[in-house]
Amino acid sequence: MGPSVERRPPVMADVARLAGVSHQTVSRVLNDHPNVRAETRTRVMRAIDQLGYRRNLVARALVTKHSRTLGVVSFDTTLYGPASTVYGIEQAARDAGYFVSIVSLRTIDRAGVNDAIGYLAEQGVDGIVVVAPQRSAARALDDLPAGMPAVAVEGWHQGDVSVVSVDQVEGARLATSHLLGLGHETVWHVSGPADWLEAEGRCEGWRAVLTEAGRRVPDLLTGDWSPRSGYQAGKHLAAMVGDVTAVFVANDQMALGLLRAFTEEGVKVPEQISIVGFDDIPESEFFSPPLTTIRQDFGAVGRRSIDVLLRQIESSESLPHERLVVPPQFVRRGSTTGVR
Amino acid sequence: MGPSVERRPPVMADVARLAGVSHQTVSRVLNDHPNVRAETRTRVMRAIDQLGYRRNLVARALVTKHSRTLGVVSFDTTLYGPASTVYGIEQAARDAGYFVSIVSLRTIDRAGVNDAIGYLAEQGVDGIVVVAPQRSAARALDDLPAGMPAVAVEGWHQGDVSVVSVDQVEGARLATSHLLGLGHETVWHVSGPADWLEAEGRCEGWRAVLTEAGRRVPDLLTGDWSPRSGYQAGKHLAAMVGDVTAVFVANDQMALGLLRAFTEEGVKVPEQISIVGFDDIPESEFFSPPLTTIRQDFGAVGRRSIDVLLRQIESSESLPHERLVVPPQFVRRGSTTGVR
DNA sequence: CAGGGTTGTGTTAACGCTCACAGTTCTTGC
DNA sequence: GCAAGAACTGTGAGCGTTAACACAACCCTG
């Protein structure tokens, strides 16, 4: 019946017409430009919510060349660590007025990360955070699109990109020293999978402390971060009670697996074997026994990485790349005790 | 020295010039339109990667009115459930060629969800998934921008928006029936916080089974999903061993808290009290004892919700809203046993 | 009350792409 | 060998916004 049945969403020009001003004035009101008469401003505002107008950020991005969107590339955001980091990133970004577009990789390799970065670049993100805990993934940062601001989280410090990470080596030192300080002859280690930078860092810290103290460095056991792999390592270690009195496990989930294996084999924790984990997942405090562990402040890592990235985006020239390190924190609970 | 030092990223016109064709032909190659001579196509392709050209999806979105981006609004993506759901959503979306822009709320209320939806709408998303496990949040879906395709996950089925969820009531029935089937007189319940739809559904299923079997419905205990709240409930229940022989806990994290409290109080699981959890987080299998629980297939929920949403986006007229239910799965482990 | 600045507003041209349509060239059949 | 159609390619406009500039109206100050 009416002149046009199909209703398209209102645009700036519609608001302008209704308010009796030019579209540019509407734009000025929206970007709260100073030089608009108060009376005009309210007239425009009234027109805006009369029409239910929302500005089209896509059109805006086209002309300003800024989408106010950040890209995040991560791996398996189902895990507590990545999930918390991404959460921290998202919060910090939104507080700064940015959107977050996320790509969560199933498997992580250079090609995959590169693709993801490419997609995000096409989409016009202003900067990219790569949560790149593996060597192979971190290497993908070498071929970023020219001029794309980026920051690596838990990545490698080589190459010319800023990195924000928890000090893994220090965390491992805390864990290992704690156990030696309790009087244990040496400390065993169940590490994360090869190629993971975090696994390497934790292994390095553990080995360093033992070496510095002149202790025997036992054979390394390797898991894949899963409770199951910890369980398997635990079965292996349980067979060596007496020889093994202290274990530093590279994450809390594997530590849970160890705990389970020890329970099954009748090995008492901490009486016969002390265990230290890493991460401090929310569950750790309620393991039996509650787990002594190293807390990583993932939220802080996320926030810091956004700080670095935004500084890079908002300054015109390219800043020198920095390396930010968030300290880990030792959390003493019931899974460790001194030797008799 | 050169004509221009400042290098701006190449655009379609640059590619066209280099390949000796019009910008439109470049566009056709990019969108693999059929009517382009093979020779022309390769010439354009060569020009594209000679210049390192990437198309500008923002400009494309401006004219097509489709950003190929989906918005996701969620609450605390640090928790295993939401994190897994969002992961499933992201995977499914990317497989379908869509980006995902995520907004993760700190606190969840109608205003917050509304704001988030507003932001996403401005940004030009083609559709929105709201992971709205609370009544208050679900209600925000009532005032969606007109014509915006949307789907609720774990939400309320009222209002005219499609909903995808795990059948919470059925899950609770499975858990409760299992315990009754083992010969327990009745089953206690530690529920999630009020206002959470999942908590309500689980409570409803539990109560229904007890009522149908003509059993006494014990006082309800309420937690907040955290292990700590489970621990507190556990302390309370431990004081009533003998009276209490079976507990259905609304999630695995709280179940862990119960387990810890029972261990401290010397209550044996499952010998004195049987426990069933909900979620099947990766840790549950390695609790002591391994937890009998109800598995939710979060990945499936994510995928299904994207299916529904894309169908809505890609069909021009508005489809009737549907209600998709993903069945839960009972997982028997060591935390439950029959009464002597 | 002339002239310089400030303040408020409008006009026009991009931004980089796709769509609609108008050409052009190549097939094909008789 | 030539019309008729199919296959390919080019031209121009426009998506909704901001930037740059132009211009009007108003304030001062001397």
Side-chain angles (χ1 to χ4, degrees):
Chain A
M1 304 298 151
S4 164
V5 195
E6 185 188 342
R7 235 198 222 25
R8 57 151 183 55
V11 300
M12 227 173 226
D14 300 323
V15 176
R17 204 170 310 118
L18 181 60
V21 297
S22 75
H23 63 126
Q24 178 62 282
T25 298
V26 178
S27 169
R28 278 191 267 255
V29 170
L30 251 31
N31 299 306
D32 38 44
H33 190 96
N35 293 348
V36 179
R37 203 150 32 112
E39 192 265 334
T40 311
R41 186 183 301 274
T42 58
R43 199 142 39 90
V44 170
M45 295 289 235
R46 197 164 10 244
I48 285 177
D49 49 46
Q50 187 174 330
L51 293 176
Y53 167 78
R54 303 216 69 131
R55 92 171 110 187
N56 182 331
L57 291 182
V58 172
R60 178 199 173 94
L62 180 60
V63 38
T64 59
K65 316 266 192 206
H66 296 298
S67 59
R68 293 198 78 83
T69 296
L70 265 25
V72 175
V73 181
S74 178
F75 168 70
D76 196 350
T77 43
T78 277
L79 300 170
Y80 179 73
S84 305
T85 308
V86 170
Y87 183 73
I89 288 171
E90 200 275 335
Q91 297 298 315
R94 193 141 45 81
D95 286 347
Y98 280 78
F99 288 95
V100 168
S101 202
I102 187 165
V103 178
S104 208
L105 269 11
R106 260 167 278 239
T107 59
I108 200 156
D109 50 47
R110 188 163 177 168
V113 176
N114 262 329
D115 276 4
I117 292 177
Y119 288 139
L120 291 170
E122 273 191 344
Q123 206 208 10
V125 297
D126 294 343
I128 295 182
V129 182
V130 181
V131 183
Q134 287 108 321
R135 269 232 141 64
S136 48
R139 222 163 326 212
L141 286 165
D142 290 346
D143 26 44
L144 269 168
M148 172 67 78
V151 56
V153 170
E154 298 298 345
W156 212 8
H157 71 290
Q158 191 176 310
D160 46 7
V161 58
S162 295
V163 176
V164 177
S165 61
V166 171
D167 192 336
Q168 306 295 338
V169 177
E170 175 60 15
R173 296 188 80 103
L174 290 172
T176 313
S177 314
H178 167 66
L179 290 167
L180 289 187
L182 289 172
H184 293 276
E185 189 51 38
T186 190
V187 177
W188 290 64
H189 181 45
V190 180
S191 87
D195 192 50
W196 281 69
L197 297 158
E198 288 152 325
E200 288 176 16
R202 290 168 203 176
C203 199
E204 183 188 328
W206 161 74
R207 184 169 276 127
V209 169
L210 290 186
T211 308
E212 285 161 19
R215 305 301 170 87
R216 176 172 65 96
V217 178
D219 288 345
L220 187 69
L221 298 185
T222 303
D224 63 3
W225 302 127
S226 74
R228 179 167 308 283
S229 68
Y231 176 79
Q232 284 154 356
K235 286 286 188 180
H236 186 83
L237 290 169
M240 302 190 285
V241 220
D243 185 22
V244 178
T245 66
V247 186
F248 164 45
V249 187
N251 78 337
D252 287 359
Q253 292 212 351
M254 293 198 293
L256 175 65
L258 254 80
L259 246 25
R260 177 67 201 146
F262 288 175
T263 302
E264 285 182 9
E265 300 300 324
V267 174
K268 294 241 178 312
V269 177
E271 294 78 1
Q272 292 174 279
I273 299 186
S274 286
I275 298 183
V276 179
F278 210 110
D279 279 353
D280 196 25
I281 61 177
E283 287 85 359
S284 301
E285 189 179 349
F286 297 90
F287 287 172
S288 292
L291 191 66
T292 296
T293 190
I294 308 296
R295 177 179 303 157
Q296 302 201 69
D297 189 345
F298 295 110
V301 170
R303 287 191 300 277
R304 302 294 287 277
S305 59
I306 290 299
D307 285 351
V308 173
L309 187 59
L310 291 186
R311 216 175 307 136
Q312 225 175 109
I313 291 171
E314 279 156 16
S315 92
S316 42
E317 66 254 63
S318 67
L319 268 42
H321 55 283
E322 28 190 336
R323 173 158 187 76
L324 263 165
V325 171
V326 175
Q329 193 189 341
F330 175 71
V331 180
R332 174 88 197 252
R333 298 214 183 90
S335 65
T336 50
T337 191
V339 284
R340 282 147 315 274
Chain B
M1 305 300 148
S4 163
V5 195
E6 186 187 340
R7 236 200 221 23
R8 58 150 180 58
V11 300
M12 227 176 227
D14 300 324
V15 176
R17 206 170 309 117
L18 181 59
V21 296
S22 75
H23 63 124
Q24 176 62 335
T25 298
V26 177
S27 169
R28 277 191 268 255
V29 170
L30 250 31
N31 298 307
D32 37 43
H33 191 95
N35 292 348
V36 179
R37 199 149 36 111
E39 193 263 338
T40 311
R41 187 182 299 275
T42 58
R43 199 143 39 90
V44 170
M45 295 287 236
R46 194 161 14 242
I48 285 176
D49 47 46
Q50 186 174 330
L51 293 176
Y53 169 77
R54 304 217 69 130
R55 92 170 111 188
N56 182 332
L57 291 182
V58 171
R60 177 198 173 94
L62 180 59
V63 36
T64 60
K65 315 266 191 207
H66 296 297
S67 59
R68 292 198 78 82
T69 297
L70 265 26
V72 176
V73 181
S74 178
F75 168 71
D76 195 351
T77 43
T78 276
L79 300 170
Y80 179 74
S84 304
T85 307
V86 170
Y87 183 73
I89 287 171
E90 200 275 335
Q91 298 296 315
R94 193 142 43 83
D95 286 347
Y98 280 78
F99 288 94
V100 167
S101 203
I102 187 167
V103 177
S104 208
L105 269 12
R106 260 167 280 237
T107 59
I108 200 156
D109 50 47
R110 188 161 178 168
V113 176
N114 262 331
D115 277 3
I117 291 176
Y119 289 139
L120 290 170
E122 274 192 344
Q123 205 208 13
V125 297
D126 294 341
I128 295 182
V129 182
V130 181
V131 182
Q134 288 109 319
R135 269 229 143 65
S136 48
R139 222 165 323 218
L141 285 165
D142 290 344
D143 26 43
L144 269 168
M148 172 67 78
V151 56
V153 171
E154 299 296 345
W156 212 10
H157 71 289
Q158 191 176 311
D160 48 5
V161 58
S162 294
V163 176
V164 178
S165 61
V166 170
D167 191 337
Q168 306 294 339
V169 178
E170 174 59 16
R173 296 189 80 102
L174 289 172
T176 313
S177 313
H178 165 68
L179 290 167
L180 289 188
L182 288 172
H184 293 275
E185 190 51 38
T186 190
V187 177
W188 291 64
H189 181 47
V190 179
S191 87
D195 193 49
W196 281 68
L197 298 158
E198 289 152 323
E200 288 176 16
R202 291 171 202 173
C203 200
E204 183 188 329
W206 160 75
R207 185 170 277 127
V209 168
L210 290 185
T211 309
E212 283 161 21
R215 306 300 172 87
R216 175 172 66 96
V217 178
D219 288 345
L220 186 69
L221 299 185
T222 303
D224 63 4
W225 302 126
S226 73
R228 179 168 307 282
S229 67
Y231 176 80
Q232 284 154 357
K235 287 285 189 180
H236 187 81
L237 290 168
M240 303 189 284
V241 220
D243 185 23
V244 178
T245 66
V247 185
F248 164 44
V249 187
N251 78 338
D252 286 0
Q253 292 212 351
M254 291 198 294
L256 175 65
L258 255 79
L259 247 24
R260 176 68 203 145
F262 288 176
T263 301
E264 285 182 9
E265 301 298 325
V267 174
K268 294 243 178 309
V269 178
E271 293 80 1
Q272 295 175 277
I273 299 185
S274 286
I275 299 182
V276 179
F278 210 110
D279 280 353
D280 195 25
I281 62 176
E283 287 86 359
S284 301
E285 189 180 349
F286 297 90
F287 287 173
S288 291
L291 191 68
T292 295
T293 190
I294 307 295
R295 178 178 302 158
Q296 302 202 69
D297 189 345
F298 295 110
V301 170
R303 287 191 300 275
R304 303 294 288 277
S305 61
I306 290 299
D307 285 351
V308 173
L309 187 58
L310 291 185
R311 216 175 307 136
Q312 223 174 110
I313 290 172
E314 279 156 17
S315 93
S316 41
E317 66 253 65
S318 67
L319 270 39
H321 55 282
E322 27 190 337
R323 173 158 187 76
L324 263 165
V325 171
V326 175
Q329 193 190 337
F330 175 72
V331 179
R332 172 92 198 251
R333 297 215 183 91
S335 64
T336 51
T337 192
V339 283
R340 283 147 312 278

